[in-house]
């Protein structure tokens, strides 16, 4: 149906589940603009569009608050063991000792990528009384100072942080940014949060690291293959929270992204 509709389309608006390939573009002779209603353009063949003179755009600011709040929500749920305590209560149990958690205040958060979402996460973390480190080779030092965070190399961040949270775009340079080698740098008590792109993390290496107790846990909203395959080792691990790409799924973000992307296309 999409291919038939494209035959007469001047503009195409997609979400994250619709890859815009060179083959798809060949079925859209009139197309002038492709817009992703969300952050990033990694699901669009930008080079193929560029060869055709088709503009490519996204709505990078609309999801900022929702994505940042989801990252903090996942973090709180993980360190306070909320999903497991809730499941136990539904089974009729009452076990306070088993679900003892840890506080965020006084801990160090490492934010990888200090753009719109990462910057908002840093602000929220500071409100919880956390120390914030960041790694972002493209960020001006003045912006880091404005956010009151310390810029450090990635390896130093991984060695120091109690919480590592990812907020970078997917590129060839960032694919498997968190791999087996970098996971060994993290503290055994540290946790990883990913609400950005699944391909930033080597999922098998992450599952092995958590299973072996080399890091304390993870909360993941995005995956290299979506929907997450039923046989993914991440599904079987304790100390892992999984959500189905919900970071931007709030009523407010959906309205903002719709308005922003339609205005841009017009």
């Amino acid at each position: 149906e999409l291919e038939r509709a494209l035959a007469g389309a001047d503009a195409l608006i997609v979400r994250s589940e619709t890859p815009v390939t060179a083959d798809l573009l060949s079925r859209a002779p009139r197309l002038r603009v492709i817009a992703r209603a969300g952050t990033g353009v990694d699901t669009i063949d930008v080079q193929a569009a560029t060869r055709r003179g088709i503009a490519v755009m996204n709505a990078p600011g609309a999801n900022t608050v929702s994505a940042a709040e989801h990252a903090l929500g996942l973090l709180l749920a993980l360190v306070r063991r909320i999903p497991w305590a809730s499941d136990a209560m539904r089974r009729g149990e009452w076990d306070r000792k088993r679900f003892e958690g840890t506080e965020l205040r006084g801990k160090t958060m490492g934010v990888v990528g200090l753009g719109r979402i990462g910057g908002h996460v840093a602000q929220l973390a500071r409100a919880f009384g956390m120390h914030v480190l960041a790694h972002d080779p493209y960020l001006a030092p003045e912006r880091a100072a404005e956010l009151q965070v310390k810029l450090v190399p990635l390896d130093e961040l991984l060695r120091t942080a109690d919480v590592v949270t990812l907020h970078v775009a997917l590129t060839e340079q960032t694919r498997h940014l968190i791999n087996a080698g970098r996971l060994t740098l993290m503290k055994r008590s540290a946790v990883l949060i990913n609400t950005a792109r699944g391909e930033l993390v080597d999922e098998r290496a992450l599952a092995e690291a958590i299973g072996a107790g080399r890091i304390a846990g993870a909360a993941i909203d995005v995956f290299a293959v979506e929907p997450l395959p039923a046989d993914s080792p991440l599904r079987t691990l304790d100390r892992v929270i999984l959500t189905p790409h919900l970071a931007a799924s709030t009523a407010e973000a959906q309205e903002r992204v719709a308005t922003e992307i339609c205005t841009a296309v017009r």
Side-chain angles (χ1 to χ4, degrees):
E1 290 177 5
L2 175 59
E3 290 179 6
R4 286 198 299 272
L6 281 173
D10 298 291
L12 171 63
I13 299 176
V14 295
R15 292 291 306 252
S16 60
E17 291 186 15
T18 307
V20 182
T21 62
D23 180 60
L24 192 68
L25 290 178
S26 70
R27 302 164 199 279
R30 293 176 47 179
L31 205 60
R32 296 168 61 193
V33 59
I34 305 163
R36 174 166 168 170
T39 302
V41 292
D42 48 280
T43 54
I44 300 168
D45 189 332
V46 178
Q47 289 185 335
T50 301
R51 285 194 295 269
R52 288 267 310 276
I54 300 169
V56 177
M57 57 184 64
N58 67 351
N63 300 337
T64 298
V65 172
S66 292
E69 289 183 358
H70 193 68
L72 264 291
L74 287 174
L75 174 57
L76 284 166
L78 186 60
V79 299
R80 296 306 302 267
R81 310 195 68 188
I82 292 170
W84 300 280
S86 178
D87 287 345
M89 288 286 287
R90 292 178 186 276
R91 294 193 298 267
E93 300 174 19
W94 183 275
D95 189 344
R96 298 174 69 189
K97 183 62 179 173
R98 183 155 57 104
F99 300 113
E100 184 177 81
T102 58
E103 292 183 352
L104 294 180
R105 188 174 67 170
K107 303 297 192 300
T108 297
M109 174 179 277
V111 181
V112 182
L114 210 62
R116 292 177 178 86
I117 296 171
H120 195 59
V121 167
Q123 291 177 307
L124 295 176
R126 288 183 56 251
F128 276 93
M130 300 186 77
H131 308 295
V132 183
L133 302 176
H135 172 73
D136 190 328
Y138 305 105
L139 191 77
E142 294 79 15
R143 176 59 175 160
E146 182 184 323
L147 291 168
Q148 299 181 45
V149 303
K150 181 182 178 183
L151 287 174
V152 297
L154 180 58
D155 286 0
E156 181 181 339
L157 181 150
L158 294 172
R159 290 191 183 97
T160 308
D162 300 294
V163 178
V164 175
T165 181
L166 306 180
H167 302 286
V168 297
L170 175 62
T171 67
E172 286 307 310
Q173 288 72 40
T174 61
R175 188 178 301 275
H176 284 191
L177 185 71
I178 304 300
N179 53 30
R182 287 201 168 111
L183 285 164
T184 65
L185 301 177
M186 294 174 64
K187 298 178 181 179
R188 294 179 74 89
S189 58
V191 297
L192 177 70
I193 312 294
N194 187 12
T195 56
R197 289 289 187 268
E199 295 92 335
L200 301 177
V201 178
D202 182 336
E203 292 173 358
R204 188 166 297 280
L206 175 63
E208 290 173 358
I210 294 170
R214 291 196 294 274
I215 67 170
I220 310 292
D221 184 55
V222 288
F223 307 92
V225 177
E226 296 184 357
L228 181 66
D231 61 353
S232 168
L234 293 173
R235 290 186 182 270
T236 64
L237 290 168
D238 195 14
R239 295 176 290 126
V240 172
I241 296 174
L242 307 174
T243 54
H245 206 140
L246 296 180
S249 293
T250 62
E252 295 87 348
Q254 297 304 301
E255 183 170 339
R256 279 196 300 269
V257 78
T259 304
E260 186 174 316
I261 205 66
C262 291
T263 302
V265 167
R266 271 178 45 185

